[in-house]
Amino acid sequence: MHEPESSTLALSWSGGKDSALALWTLRQCHLRPRVLITTITGAYARVSMHGVRRDLLTQQAYAAGIGLVEVSIPVGCTDELYEHRMAKAWASEKLRNIQTVAFGDLFLQDVRAYREERLAAAGKQGLFPLWHRDTTVLAREFIAAGFEAILVCVDPSTLDPSFAGRPFDAELLADLPPGVDPCGENGEFHTFVHAGPILSNPIAIQAGETVERDGFVFCDLIARDRGD
């Protein structure tokens, strides 16, 4: 695949470390996505699956210096409705000229194949800058580069609920049970990045309530006044 033009490049954005690493890697290759694309669960006004509040997502995009497109979906969204909403988004004024969409996927071939299939149907192509990177090495590089993130969603079937709300750091990596991917690529956990080399300033946050919902454990992050 030829190298995309930054003006026609978008990045699928969850606000977590894999998205942040993808953006960091793209910038190192002198590629600057024109827009970030995030799926929002409308009833909750939160990033789908991660459960992060929209105001934190907005702060993140602003600190990254990139425009943000939100695609709203309902709770319990079906695959058919999801694909309809995405097709409508691709046809919108902000995205119709996008030719390439980058993702932070690491090794799940079925996920990549699905993304490429849906993009092809919209006349676009995928870019996977982290593909097949060693996840142990990548997790350590993330920390060494100065990124800071917090676990906001944990799958309790693979990881103890007490991990929700913990910082993604060397101590956490050492505490991960055998079989849990260091980057959570199998869905063991999701993160929110609040500081690092892709952001012009840190995002002030504090941990709120930890709740269990729909089989997952979420740590609610709340924007904190910088004067606090």
Side-chain angles (χ1 to χ4, degrees), residues 22-223:
L23 178 55
W24 189 46
T25 301
L26 290 170
R27 286 181 171 176
Q28 290 175 324
C29 297
H30 308 291
L31 292 172
R32 307 185 75 83
R34 193 178 79 184
V35 67
L36 305 175
I37 306 169
T38 304
T39 303
I40 298 289
T41 301
Y44 300 146
R46 294 172 183 262
V47 178
S48 300
M49 192 62 252
H50 289 224
V52 173
R53 297 170 182 251
R54 286 183 68 244
D55 63 327
L56 292 178
L57 170 69
T58 301
Q59 287 189 50
Q60 217 182 25
Y62 183 81
I66 308 176
L68 176 67
V69 171
E70 298 176 10
V71 181
S72 180
I73 61 172
V75 177
C77 185
T78 63
D79 290 344
E80 183 180 11
L81 180 55
Y82 173 81
E83 291 172 5
H84 173 75
R85 293 283 174 91
M86 289 304 303
K88 185 176 179 180
W90 294 132
S92 68
E93 182 177 354
K94 288 185 177 180
L95 297 180
R96 67 168 61 113
N97 293 323
I98 293 297
Q99 297 177 4
T100 305
V101 184
F103 297 89
D105 297 309
L106 294 160
F107 57 71
L108 297 179
Q109 185 61 52
D110 57 336
V111 173
R112 174 169 177 164
Y114 172 80
R115 298 197 196 285
E116 291 179 323
E117 176 188 354
R118 301 318 306 166
L119 286 173
K124 306 179 190 304
Q125 60 185 351
L127 179 64
F128 299 83
L130 306 180
W131 192 247
H132 281 171
R133 291 283 303 276
D134 183 294
T135 54
T136 298
V137 173
L138 202 57
R140 291 171 180 163
E141 286 181 0
F142 178 86
I143 296 166
F147 283 102
E148 296 180 33
I150 290 180
L151 270 65
V152 292
C153 176
V154 166
D155 180 353
S157 69
T158 60
L159 198 58
D160 192 273
S162 63
F163 277 82
R166 284 188 57 173
F168 186 84
D169 55 17
E171 184 177 351
L172 179 131
L173 292 180
D175 289 344
L176 289 177
V180 172
D181 184 77
C183 287
E185 177 71 349
N186 295 305
E188 299 98 330
F189 61 86
H190 301 288
T191 58
F192 175 78
V193 175
H194 58 95
I198 62 164
L199 302 177
S200 60
N201 55 266
I203 299 167
I205 55 172
Q206 63 185 32
E209 185 181 11
T210 297
V211 300
E212 185 166 358
R213 186 179 68 244
D214 301 327
F216 294 90
V217 177
F218 296 89
C219 175
D220 188 20
L221 296 184
I222 303 168

